[in-house]
Amino acid sequence: MLLVDDDAERAEAVRAGLEGAGFTVAAIVAAPGDLTRLVRESQAEVIVCDIDDPSRDALESMRALYRDEPRPVVVFAGKGQPEQIEAALEAGVAAYVVEGLHPARVRPVLDVAIRRFRAHQSLRAELDAARATLEERVLLDQAKRKLMREMGLTEDAAHRRLRRMAMDRHLKLAVMAAEILRI
């Protein structure tokens, strides 16, 4: 776990609370700065930010982390304006808890944040797979239309031709379709 807190005394108390709740704190940093680099260096699996008022720079660092090295990020903040919470969630924050970090709430909040993050990552992977499938389908349809137009084939015949060409060259259907479209 990576702990981000600009108050050294509070950070030490939070570290003790986190470790008391069964977590291992790999590193403590004063500012989120380059979270991606910090996470890579510490190999932290979860990031806990105890920040009075998350800045735009802190949120941008969280956004970069979510894009480059996705990890559950939990923000315990002193302030919680609706637009601030929305910006944090858009940056990939798994949980945003207003009114700071209380030892009794640490474990359940982190457990929920980790589960929410994993569920979101699973949905993201499913969406990526669906997009890839759709892109392949569009490619196949374009290649079939080209074969139909240039060879005077029916759609079924164009599909069979495309499939045969892919098998003969030991290529995936989508790769063969891309080659046909390049010709």
Side-chain angles (χ1 to χ4, degrees), residues 107-180:
R107 181 93 210 177
V109 167
L110 289 175
D111 287 344
V112 167
I114 291 166
R115 284 188 179 98
R116 181 179 182 269
F117 174 82
R118 287 181 184 151
H120 189 267
Q121 288 301 103
S122 177
L123 287 173
R124 190 174 172 187
E126 287 178 29
L127 178 59
D128 290 346
R131 282 183 178 147
T133 299
L134 181 59
E135 288 172 10
E136 282 185 11
R137 187 77 216 146
V138 167
L139 200 61
L140 293 174
D141 287 343
Q142 290 172 342
K144 284 191 302 185
R145 280 196 302 275
K146 183 174 181 180
L147 290 174
M148 290 165 60
R149 190 174 53 251
E150 292 178 1
M151 301 177 131
L153 302 172
T154 65
E155 185 175 359
D156 286 342
H159 184 75
R160 285 192 304 274
R161 173 84 179 215
L162 179 61
R163 194 173 59 228
R164 173 55 51 201
M165 292 169 75
M167 284 192 287
D168 289 347
R169 294 183 187 180
H170 305 290
L171 296 174
K172 289 186 175 187
L173 206 51
V175 173
M176 188 69 241
E179 281 191 22
I180 287 172

Side-chain angles (χ1 to χ4, degrees), residues 61-104:
S61 185
M62 291 174 200
R63 185 180 323 283
L65 174 69
Y66 186 73
R67 180 190 64 235
D68 300 335
E69 249 350 277
R71 300 284 195 284
V73 176
V74 179
V75 173
F76 290 92
K79 296 180 181 177
Q81 300 300 323
E83 59 276 355
Q84 203 169 29
I85 294 169
E86 183 68 28
L89 294 175
E90 287 176 5
V93 170
Y96 191 104
V97 181
V98 181
E99 309 235 347
L101 193 151
H102 298 287

Side-chain angles (χ1 to χ4, degrees), residues 32-33 54-63:
S55 68
R56 286 189 192 270
D57 290 341
L59 293 174
E60 190 52 44
S61 185
M62 291 174 200
R63 185 180 323 283

